[in-house]
Amino acid sequence: MNNEEFIEYQPILYKLFSSSKEKKRLANAYLLYGDINAPVKEVGMLLCESINCQKEILSCHKCSDCKKFDEHVTTDFYFIDGKDKTIKKEDIQKLENFFKLTSLEKNKTPTYLINHIENITNEAINALLKFLEEPKTGVIAILTTNNLKKVLNTIISRSIKVKVNPLPKEKLVNEITGLEYTYLKSKKILTKNEAIVLSWLYSSKEDVDELLNESDDFFLAYNQVEEFLHELDVSITNASYYLLMINYKVNSLKCYNLMYLILKRVFTEILTSTISEDNPYKEVMCSLGKKDLNIKNATSEINRLLSLSRLNLSSTLNSIKIIKALQGEIS
């Protein structure tokens, strides 16, 4: 994220940060939260870099301190990523040891960023709270989450909580449409419709690249959601059969999570009558909105499944529960 984007799209956070830095009154901990496509990690990284920039309020990207940060050679910054793993007590101990063992430069403020703080264990939380409350450390913590409801109050109460706004989705859509990736071991050009759905879930090209270069999960999820919605438009029986058949073809937990996230967005737009003009599923969504389906219950069930996404749950059982919710048998 560049400075201009930060100032334009995060005005409240920019005002808070710039004022605090100018007055040398930065807080010990900030909790950045936002929707799933809000660039919380990117904003957090910019703040961590900016804290030790001696020339500008935000990172100048030119001075020696900023260059060290960009080149990942600074001894004043530590990063823990809980995006795809649980943050454990050992991770917090490594964080503490990093600042104990490294020789911190004079007049520098040590910072650390914990991405997806909601994915932290209870043991790790206790260790982190002790570190946050240590008065002699002088360390600034930047914590991020795309699910504020899962962050414990003990973390929230010890942090300055600030919302991060999503960037305009058109920016990411234009950036990634037409790029080449691999799908089923063949070259695949990303379509605009696929890019739009990705913009619902991610905030940066970097995250999209990581996802699409790692596996076929997104393309599988995208195609399966599209087919499921069309089958659901025909009948609940067809949709039930299709969902169950998927379980014989797909065994990737990440693929199912992506399916649930896309379906959550689709069902939410149907419920709130906010189907956007560029929504790739617009036509079938308008048709589904007229049918006797309990989409509200299905959305609640999907939210429940997403909250348990790190557990090894049965995909077949999950599919049955979504169908039963659509039939009104689960409330």
Side-chain angles (χ1 to χ4, degrees):
M1 167 170 287
N2 60 47
N3 296 357
E4 291 73 22
E5 289 175 338
F6 178 71
I7 293 171
E8 180 177 359
Y9 299 114
Q10 316 300 335
I12 294 176
L13 181 52
Y14 171 67
K15 184 177 181 180
L16 171 66
F17 178 78
S18 58
S19 175
S20 299
K21 185 178 177 183
E22 284 178 341
K23 296 176 182 177
K24 297 183 178 180
R25 293 181 180 175
L26 289 168
N28 292 331
Y30 294 88
L31 175 59
L32 308 182
Y33 71 97
D35 294 336
I36 190 171
N37 59 343
V40 291
K41 185 184 79 172
E42 291 81 1
V43 168
M45 285 290 189
L46 179 60
L47 293 184
C48 286
E49 181 173 355
S50 299
I51 286 171
N52 279 314
C53 180
Q54 303 299 313
K55 292 188 176 182
E56 305 288 345
I57 293 297
L58 295 179
S59 169
C60 68
H61 302 290
K62 297 177 182 178
C63 69
S64 60
D65 293 314
C66 291
K67 286 182 178 179
K68 285 180 181 179
F69 190 97
D70 289 336
E71 294 168 3
H72 310 293
V73 294
T74 180
T75 58
D76 299 305
F77 173 71
Y78 195 86
F79 177 57
I80 298 175
D81 195 355
K83 178 183 175 183
D84 295 316
K85 69 166 191 171
T86 301
I87 301 168
K88 300 179 180 179
K89 183 179 179 180
E90 292 77 11
D91 296 311
I92 304 303
Q93 290 173 334
K94 289 179 182 178
L95 164 68
E96 295 180 31
N97 290 334
F98 176 81
F99 289 122
K100 287 178 181 178
L101 298 176
T102 56
S103 179
L104 300 178
E105 297 182 40
K106 187 177 181 181
N107 298 323
K108 297 296 185 296
T109 302
T111 62
Y112 62 92
L113 172 61
I114 302 182
N115 191 37
H116 287 280
I117 187 64
E118 74 275 11
N119 295 327
I120 190 170
T121 65
N122 288 331
E123 284 188 339
I125 285 175
N126 293 331
L128 178 61
L129 291 177
K130 290 180 181 178
F131 192 55
L132 282 172
E133 294 170 350
E134 173 56 55
K136 296 181 181 180
T137 60
V139 178
I140 293 179
I142 306 289
L143 315 174
T144 73
T145 183
N146 291 120
N147 193 340
L148 186 62
K149 292 180 179 179
K150 288 183 69 176
V151 180
L152 295 181
N153 286 331
T154 50
I155 295 291
I156 295 175
S157 64
R158 289 165 173 79
S159 310
I160 301 296
K161 185 178 69 173
V162 190
K163 185 174 183 179
V164 173
N165 303 314
L167 300 178
K169 69 177 183 180
E170 293 76 17
K171 179 181 182 298
L172 180 59
V173 170
N174 292 336
E175 195 173 2
I176 63 178
T177 298
L179 294 183
E180 185 178 283
Y181 296 97
T182 300
Y183 174 49
L184 298 178
K185 299 182 180 180
S186 299
K187 291 182 179 179
K188 170 79 169 71
I189 302 300
L190 195 70
T191 67
K192 185 173 182 179
N193 282 347
E194 291 164 341
I196 288 171
V197 174
L198 282 164
S199 75
W200 298 347
L201 311 176
Y202 295 92
S203 60
S204 71
K205 179 180 177 296
E206 177 186 6
D207 287 340
V208 170
D209 285 343
E210 181 181 345
L211 172 71
L212 300 187
N213 289 327
E214 182 181 84
S215 69
D216 293 335
D217 287 331
F218 169 75
F219 293 117
L220 289 170
Y222 176 89
N223 292 332
Q224 285 157 7
V225 168
E226 184 173 45
E227 187 64 30
F228 169 70
L229 292 175
H230 283 290
E231 294 294 343
L232 185 60
D233 193 30
V234 175
S235 72
I236 192 77
T237 301
N238 282 30
S240 302
Y241 177 75
Y242 182 76
L243 267 189
L244 293 175
M245 286 301 296
I246 289 175
N247 296 308
Y248 291 102
K249 300 177 181 178
V250 179
N251 58 8
S252 167
L253 179 60
K254 192 162 194 175
C255 182
Y256 284 109
N257 286 340
L258 288 167
M259 284 176 57
Y260 298 151
L261 287 167
I262 296 170
L263 280 175
K264 176 183 176 181
R265 172 69 178 245
V266 167
F267 286 166
T268 299
E269 287 197 9
I270 293 174
L271 280 174
T272 56
S273 301
T274 57
I275 304 173
S276 56
E277 287 297 321
D278 63 354
N279 191 308
Y281 311 114
K282 177 185 175 184
E283 185 176 341
V284 68
M285 287 168 65
C286 290
S287 179
L288 290 173
K290 300 173 184 177
K291 295 185 179 295
D292 185 24
L293 295 169
N294 204 319
I295 292 177
K296 183 177 180 180
N297 281 1
T299 306
S300 297
E301 182 60 26
I302 288 172
N303 283 332
R304 188 189 71 81
L305 293 176
L306 287 170
S307 71
L308 302 172
S309 62
R310 289 178 177 269
L311 301 178
N312 190 23
L313 301 176
S314 165
S315 57
T316 300
L317 182 59
N318 293 343
S319 297
I320 292 172
K321 288 184 176 180
I322 291 173
I323 291 298
K324 286 186 173 294
L326 284 166
Q327 293 172 322
E329 296 180 25
I330 295 179
S331 59

Short mmCIF file of all heavy atoms in Angstrom, two decimals, residues 35-81:
data_model
loop_
_atom_site.label_atom_id
_atom_site.label_comp_id
_atom_site.label_asym_id
_atom_site.label_seq_id
_atom_site.Cartn_x
_atom_site.Cartn_y
_atom_site.Cartn_z
N ASP A 35 -13.42 -5.62 7.18
CA ASP A 35 -14.04 -6.73 6.47
C ASP A 35 -12.98 -7.62 5.84
O ASP A 35 -11.80 -7.27 5.79
CB ASP A 35 -14.98 -6.19 5.38
CG ASP A 35 -16.18 -5.45 5.99
OD1 ASP A 35 -16.51 -5.73 7.15
OD2 ASP A 35 -16.75 -4.58 5.30
N ILE A 36 -13.43 -8.75 5.32
CA ILE A 36 -12.50 -9.75 4.79
C ILE A 36 -11.60 -9.20 3.69
O ILE A 36 -10.48 -9.65 3.51
CB ILE A 36 -13.29 -10.99 4.30
CG1 ILE A 36 -12.34 -12.13 3.97
CG2 ILE A 36 -14.17 -10.64 3.10
CD1 ILE A 36 -13.02 -13.43 3.69
N ASN A 37 -12.11 -8.19 2.94
CA ASN A 37 -11.30 -7.64 1.86
C ASN A 37 -10.64 -6.31 2.23
O ASN A 37 -10.15 -5.58 1.36
CB ASN A 37 -12.14 -7.45 0.60
CG ASN A 37 -13.34 -6.53 0.83
OD1 ASN A 37 -13.72 -6.29 1.97
ND2 ASN A 37 -13.93 -6.05 -0.24
N ALA A 38 -10.62 -6.00 3.52
CA ALA A 38 -9.94 -4.78 3.98
C ALA A 38 -8.44 -5.07 4.14
O ALA A 38 -8.07 -6.11 4.67
CB ALA A 38 -10.52 -4.32 5.32
N PRO A 39 -7.58 -4.16 3.69
CA PRO A 39 -6.13 -4.42 3.70
C PRO A 39 -5.49 -4.19 5.06
O PRO A 39 -4.59 -3.36 5.22
CB PRO A 39 -5.62 -3.41 2.66
CG PRO A 39 -6.56 -2.25 2.79
CD PRO A 39 -7.92 -2.85 3.06
N VAL A 40 -5.92 -4.96 6.05
CA VAL A 40 -5.43 -4.74 7.41
C VAL A 40 -3.93 -5.02 7.53
O VAL A 40 -3.21 -4.28 8.21
CB VAL A 40 -6.23 -5.58 8.43
CG1 VAL A 40 -7.66 -5.07 8.57
CG2 VAL A 40 -6.24 -7.06 8.06
N LYS A 41 -3.46 -6.09 6.89
CA LYS A 41 -2.03 -6.41 6.97
C LYS A 41 -1.20 -5.35 6.27
O LYS A 41 -0.17 -4.90 6.80
CB LYS A 41 -1.75 -7.77 6.35
CG LYS A 41 -0.28 -8.21 6.51
CD LYS A 41 0.03 -9.51 5.81
CE LYS A 41 0.22 -9.30 4.33
NZ LYS A 41 0.72 -10.51 3.63
N GLU A 42 -1.63 -4.92 5.08
CA GLU A 42 -0.88 -3.93 4.32
C GLU A 42 -0.80 -2.60 5.07
O GLU A 42 0.25 -1.95 5.12
CB GLU A 42 -1.54 -3.71 2.95
CG GLU A 42 -1.43 -4.90 2.01
CD GLU A 42 -2.46 -5.98 2.28
OE1 GLU A 42 -3.28 -5.81 3.20
OE2 GLU A 42 -2.43 -7.01 1.58
N VAL A 43 -1.92 -2.21 5.69
CA VAL A 43 -1.94 -0.98 6.48
C VAL A 43 -1.03 -1.13 7.69
O VAL A 43 -0.27 -0.22 8.04
CB VAL A 43 -3.38 -0.64 6.93
CG1 VAL A 43 -3.37 0.47 7.99
CG2 VAL A 43 -4.20 -0.19 5.73
N GLY A 44 -1.09 -2.29 8.34
CA GLY A 44 -0.23 -2.54 9.50
C GLY A 44 1.24 -2.45 9.15
O GLY A 44 2.04 -1.89 9.90
N MET A 45 1.62 -3.03 8.00
CA MET A 45 3.01 -2.97 7.56
C MET A 45 3.46 -1.53 7.33
O MET A 45 4.57 -1.14 7.71
CB MET A 45 3.19 -3.79 6.27
CG MET A 45 3.19 -5.28 6.47
SD MET A 45 4.70 -5.84 7.32
CE MET A 45 4.53 -7.62 7.17
N LEU A 46 2.60 -0.74 6.70
CA LEU A 46 2.94 0.66 6.45
C LEU A 46 3.15 1.42 7.75
O LEU A 46 4.09 2.22 7.88
CB LEU A 46 1.86 1.33 5.61
CG LEU A 46 2.07 2.81 5.29
CD1 LEU A 46 3.36 3.01 4.50
CD2 LEU A 46 0.89 3.39 4.52
N LEU A 47 2.29 1.17 8.73
CA LEU A 47 2.44 1.85 10.02
C LEU A 47 3.74 1.44 10.71
O LEU A 47 4.45 2.29 11.26
CB LEU A 47 1.24 1.53 10.93
CG LEU A 47 -0.12 2.07 10.49
CD1 LEU A 47 -1.17 1.75 11.54
CD2 LEU A 47 -0.07 3.57 10.24
N CYS A 48 4.05 0.15 10.69
CA CYS A 48 5.28 -0.32 11.33
C CYS A 48 6.51 0.32 10.69
O CYS A 48 7.46 0.71 11.38
CB CYS A 48 5.38 -1.84 11.25
SG CYS A 48 4.25 -2.72 12.36
N GLU A 49 6.50 0.42 9.37
CA GLU A 49 7.62 1.05 8.68
C GLU A 49 7.68 2.54 8.99
O GLU A 49 8.76 3.11 9.17
CB GLU A 49 7.49 0.83 7.17
CG GLU A 49 8.64 1.44 6.38
CD GLU A 49 8.60 1.08 4.90
OE1 GLU A 49 7.72 0.28 4.50
OE2 GLU A 49 9.44 1.60 4.15
N SER A 50 6.51 3.17 9.05
CA SER A 50 6.45 4.62 9.25
C SER A 50 6.89 5.05 10.64
O SER A 50 7.41 6.16 10.82
CB SER A 50 5.02 5.11 8.99
OG SER A 50 4.61 4.83 7.67
N ILE A 51 6.69 4.19 11.62
CA ILE A 51 7.02 4.54 13.00
C ILE A 51 8.48 4.96 13.15
O ILE A 51 8.81 5.91 13.87
CB ILE A 51 6.68 3.38 13.95
CG1 ILE A 51 5.16 3.29 14.14
CG2 ILE A 51 7.37 3.54 15.31
CD1 ILE A 51 4.68 2.05 14.87
N ASN A 52 9.38 4.30 12.43
CA ASN A 52 10.81 4.59 12.57
C ASN A 52 11.38 5.43 11.43
O ASN A 52 12.59 5.61 11.35
CB ASN A 52 11.60 3.29 12.70
CG ASN A 52 11.55 2.75 14.12
OD1 ASN A 52 11.74 3.48 15.08
ND2 ASN A 52 11.27 1.46 14.25
N CYS A 53 10.51 5.95 10.58
CA CYS A 53 10.99 6.87 9.54
C CYS A 53 11.26 8.22 10.19
O CYS A 53 10.38 8.82 10.80
CB CYS A 53 9.96 7.01 8.42
SG CYS A 53 10.50 8.15 7.11
N GLN A 54 12.49 8.70 10.07
CA GLN A 54 12.89 9.94 10.72
C GLN A 54 12.62 11.18 9.87
O GLN A 54 12.73 12.31 10.35
CB GLN A 54 14.40 9.89 11.05
CG GLN A 54 14.79 8.70 11.90
CD GLN A 54 14.11 8.70 13.27
OE1 GLN A 54 14.08 9.71 13.96
NE2 GLN A 54 13.55 7.56 13.64
N LYS A 55 12.24 10.97 8.62
CA LYS A 55 12.07 12.11 7.71
C LYS A 55 10.62 12.55 7.51
O LYS A 55 10.35 13.73 7.34
CB LYS A 55 12.69 11.77 6.35
CG LYS A 55 14.20 11.64 6.38
CD LYS A 55 14.77 11.50 4.98
CE LYS A 55 16.29 11.48 5.01
NZ LYS A 55 16.88 11.39 3.64
N GLU A 56 9.71 11.59 7.50
CA GLU A 56 8.31 11.90 7.21
C GLU A 56 7.39 11.24 8.24
O GLU A 56 7.80 10.35 8.97
CB GLU A 56 7.93 11.40 5.80
CG GLU A 56 8.82 11.92 4.68
CD GLU A 56 8.60 13.39 4.38
OE1 GLU A 56 7.57 13.94 4.84
OE2 GLU A 56 9.45 13.98 3.67
N ILE A 57 6.13 11.70 8.25
CA ILE A 57 5.14 11.08 9.13
C ILE A 57 4.89 9.65 8.67
O ILE A 57 4.92 8.70 9.45
CB ILE A 57 3.82 11.87 9.13
CG1 ILE A 57 4.03 13.23 9.80
CG2 ILE A 57 2.72 11.09 9.86
CD1 ILE A 57 4.44 13.16 11.25
N LEU A 58 4.64 9.49 7.37
CA LEU A 58 4.54 8.15 6.79
C LEU A 58 5.87 7.79 6.17
O LEU A 58 6.70 8.66 5.91
CB LEU A 58 3.43 8.10 5.74
CG LEU A 58 2.01 8.33 6.25
CD1 LEU A 58 1.02 8.28 5.09
CD2 LEU A 58 1.62 7.31 7.31
N SER A 59 6.08 6.52 5.92
CA SER A 59 7.35 6.07 5.38
C SER A 59 7.74 6.83 4.11
O SER A 59 6.93 6.98 3.19
CB SER A 59 7.26 4.57 5.07
OG SER A 59 8.37 4.16 4.31
N CYS A 60 8.98 7.29 4.07
CA CYS A 60 9.47 7.97 2.87
C CYS A 60 9.98 6.97 1.84
O CYS A 60 10.18 7.30 0.67
CB CYS A 60 10.59 8.95 3.23
SG CYS A 60 12.12 8.15 3.78
N HIS A 61 10.21 5.72 2.27
CA HIS A 61 10.68 4.62 1.41
C HIS A 61 12.07 4.90 0.83
O HIS A 61 12.51 4.18 -0.07
CB HIS A 61 9.70 4.34 0.28
CG HIS A 61 8.32 4.00 0.73
ND1 HIS A 61 8.01 2.82 1.37
CD2 HIS A 61 7.15 4.71 0.68
CE1 HIS A 61 6.71 2.79 1.66
NE2 HIS A 61 6.18 3.93 1.26
N LYS A 62 12.74 5.92 1.32
CA LYS A 62 14.04 6.31 0.75
C LYS A 62 15.17 6.31 1.79
O LYS A 62 16.32 6.04 1.44
CB LYS A 62 13.94 7.69 0.11
CG LYS A 62 12.98 7.75 -1.07
CD LYS A 62 12.90 9.18 -1.61
CE LYS A 62 11.90 9.25 -2.77
NZ LYS A 62 11.78 10.63 -3.29
N CYS A 63 14.86 6.66 3.04
CA CYS A 63 15.90 6.75 4.05
C CYS A 63 16.41 5.35 4.42
O CYS A 63 15.81 4.35 4.06
CB CYS A 63 15.39 7.48 5.29
SG CYS A 63 14.15 6.57 6.24
N SER A 64 17.52 5.31 5.14
CA SER A 64 18.14 4.02 5.49
C SER A 64 17.21 3.15 6.32
O SER A 64 17.17 1.93 6.15
CB SER A 64 19.45 4.25 6.23
OG SER A 64 19.22 4.97 7.44
N ASP A 65 16.44 3.76 7.21
CA ASP A 65 15.53 2.98 8.06
C ASP A 65 14.43 2.33 7.23
O ASP A 65 14.09 1.16 7.42
CB ASP A 65 14.91 3.88 9.13
CG ASP A 65 15.93 4.37 10.14
OD1 ASP A 65 16.73 3.55 10.62
OD2 ASP A 65 15.95 5.58 10.43
N CYS A 66 13.87 3.12 6.31
CA CYS A 66 12.80 2.58 5.46
C CYS A 66 13.33 1.50 4.53
O CYS A 66 12.68 0.49 4.29
CB CYS A 66 12.15 3.70 4.66
SG CYS A 66 11.17 4.85 5.68
N LYS A 67 14.53 1.71 3.99
CA LYS A 67 15.12 0.72 3.09
C LYS A 67 15.41 -0.59 3.82
O LYS A 67 15.19 -1.68 3.28
CB LYS A 67 16.39 1.27 2.47
CG LYS A 67 16.13 2.34 1.40
CD LYS A 67 17.44 2.83 0.78
CE LYS A 67 17.17 3.84 -0.32
NZ LYS A 67 18.42 4.34 -0.93
N LYS A 68 15.87 -0.50 5.06
CA LYS A 68 16.13 -1.71 5.84
C LYS A 68 14.83 -2.48 6.06
O LYS A 68 14.80 -3.71 6.00
CB LYS A 68 16.75 -1.35 7.20
CG LYS A 68 18.21 -0.94 7.14
CD LYS A 68 18.72 -0.60 8.53
CE LYS A 68 20.18 -0.16 8.49
NZ LYS A 68 20.67 0.20 9.85
N PHE A 69 13.75 -1.74 6.32
CA PHE A 69 12.45 -2.38 6.53
C PHE A 69 12.00 -3.07 5.25
O PHE A 69 11.58 -4.23 5.26
CB PHE A 69 11.41 -1.35 6.96
CG PHE A 69 10.11 -1.94 7.42
CD1 PHE A 69 9.86 -2.13 8.77
CD2 PHE A 69 9.13 -2.31 6.50
CE1 PHE A 69 8.66 -2.70 9.20
CE2 PHE A 69 7.93 -2.88 6.91
CZ PHE A 69 7.69 -3.06 8.27
N ASP A 70 12.09 -2.36 4.14
CA ASP A 70 11.67 -2.92 2.85
C ASP A 70 12.49 -4.14 2.45
O ASP A 70 11.98 -5.06 1.80
CB ASP A 70 11.76 -1.86 1.75
CG ASP A 70 10.69 -0.78 1.90
OD1 ASP A 70 9.65 -1.06 2.53
OD2 ASP A 70 10.90 0.35 1.41
N GLU A 71 13.76 -4.15 2.85
CA GLU A 71 14.65 -5.25 2.49
C GLU A 71 14.67 -6.36 3.54
O GLU A 71 15.43 -7.32 3.44
CB GLU A 71 16.07 -4.71 2.28
CG GLU A 71 16.17 -3.77 1.08
CD GLU A 71 17.48 -3.01 1.04
OE1 GLU A 71 18.34 -3.27 1.92
OE2 GLU A 71 17.65 -2.16 0.15
N HIS A 72 13.83 -6.20 4.58
CA HIS A 72 13.67 -7.22 5.64
C HIS A 72 14.98 -7.47 6.40
O HIS A 72 15.28 -8.60 6.77
CB HIS A 72 13.16 -8.53 5.05
CG HIS A 72 11.96 -8.39 4.18
ND1 HIS A 72 10.73 -8.01 4.67
CD2 HIS A 72 11.79 -8.57 2.84
CE1 HIS A 72 9.85 -7.95 3.67
NE2 HIS A 72 10.48 -8.28 2.55
N VAL A 73 15.76 -6.41 6.62
CA VAL A 73 17.01 -6.57 7.36
C VAL A 73 17.02 -5.74 8.65
O VAL A 73 18.04 -5.65 9.32
CB VAL A 73 18.23 -6.19 6.48
CG1 VAL A 73 18.38 -7.15 5.33
CG2 VAL A 73 18.12 -4.75 5.98
N THR A 74 15.90 -5.16 9.00
CA THR A 74 15.85 -4.37 10.23
C THR A 74 15.78 -5.28 11.45
O THR A 74 15.22 -6.38 11.41
CB THR A 74 14.63 -3.43 10.23
OG1 THR A 74 14.61 -2.69 11.45
CG2 THR A 74 13.33 -4.21 10.09
N THR A 75 16.38 -4.82 12.54
CA THR A 75 16.32 -5.57 13.81
C THR A 75 15.26 -5.00 14.74
O THR A 75 15.18 -5.37 15.90
CB THR A 75 17.69 -5.53 14.52
OG1 THR A 75 18.05 -4.15 14.74
CG2 THR A 75 18.74 -6.22 13.69
N ASP A 76 14.46 -4.09 14.22
CA ASP A 76 13.45 -3.40 15.04
C ASP A 76 12.03 -3.83 14.71
O ASP A 76 11.08 -3.20 15.15
CB ASP A 76 13.57 -1.89 14.86
CG ASP A 76 14.92 -1.36 15.28
OD1 ASP A 76 15.31 -1.63 16.43
OD2 ASP A 76 15.58 -0.68 14.48
N PHE A 77 11.89 -4.90 13.93
CA PHE A 77 10.55 -5.32 13.52
C PHE A 77 10.45 -6.84 13.51
O PHE A 77 11.37 -7.53 13.07
CB PHE A 77 10.22 -4.77 12.13
CG PHE A 77 8.92 -5.30 11.58
CD1 PHE A 77 7.70 -4.88 12.10
CD2 PHE A 77 8.91 -6.21 10.52
CE1 PHE A 77 6.50 -5.38 11.60
CE2 PHE A 77 7.72 -6.72 10.02
CZ PHE A 77 6.51 -6.29 10.55
N TYR A 78 9.30 -7.35 13.97
CA TYR A 78 9.04 -8.80 13.98
C TYR A 78 7.61 -9.04 13.49
O TYR A 78 6.68 -8.30 13.85
CB TYR A 78 9.22 -9.35 15.39
CG TYR A 78 9.32 -10.86 15.46
CD1 TYR A 78 10.54 -11.50 15.29
CD2 TYR A 78 8.20 -11.65 15.68
CE1 TYR A 78 10.66 -12.88 15.35
CE2 TYR A 78 8.29 -13.03 15.75
CZ TYR A 78 9.53 -13.64 15.58
OH TYR A 78 9.62 -15.02 15.63
N PHE A 79 7.45 -10.08 12.68
CA PHE A 79 6.15 -10.36 12.07
C PHE A 79 5.71 -11.79 12.38
O PHE A 79 6.47 -12.74 12.23
CB PHE A 79 6.25 -10.18 10.54
CG PHE A 79 4.98 -10.51 9.80
CD1 PHE A 79 3.78 -9.88 10.11
CD2 PHE A 79 4.99 -11.47 8.78
CE1 PHE A 79 2.61 -10.18 9.42
CE2 PHE A 79 3.82 -11.78 8.09
CZ PHE A 79 2.64 -11.13 8.40
N ILE A 80 4.46 -11.92 12.84
CA ILE A 80 3.84 -13.23 13.06
C ILE A 80 2.57 -13.27 12.21
O ILE A 80 1.71 -12.41 12.34
CB ILE A 80 3.47 -13.45 14.55
CG1 ILE A 80 4.72 -13.43 15.43
CG2 ILE A 80 2.72 -14.76 14.72
CD1 ILE A 80 4.42 -13.53 16.91
N ASP A 81 2.48 -14.26 11.36
CA ASP A 81 1.33 -14.37 10.46
C ASP A 81 0.43 -15.53 10.88
O ASP A 81 0.82 -16.69 10.80
CB ASP A 81 1.81 -14.57 9.02
CG ASP A 81 0.69 -14.32 8.01
OD1 ASP A 81 -0.46 -14.09 8.44
OD2 ASP A 81 0.97 -14.33 6.80
#
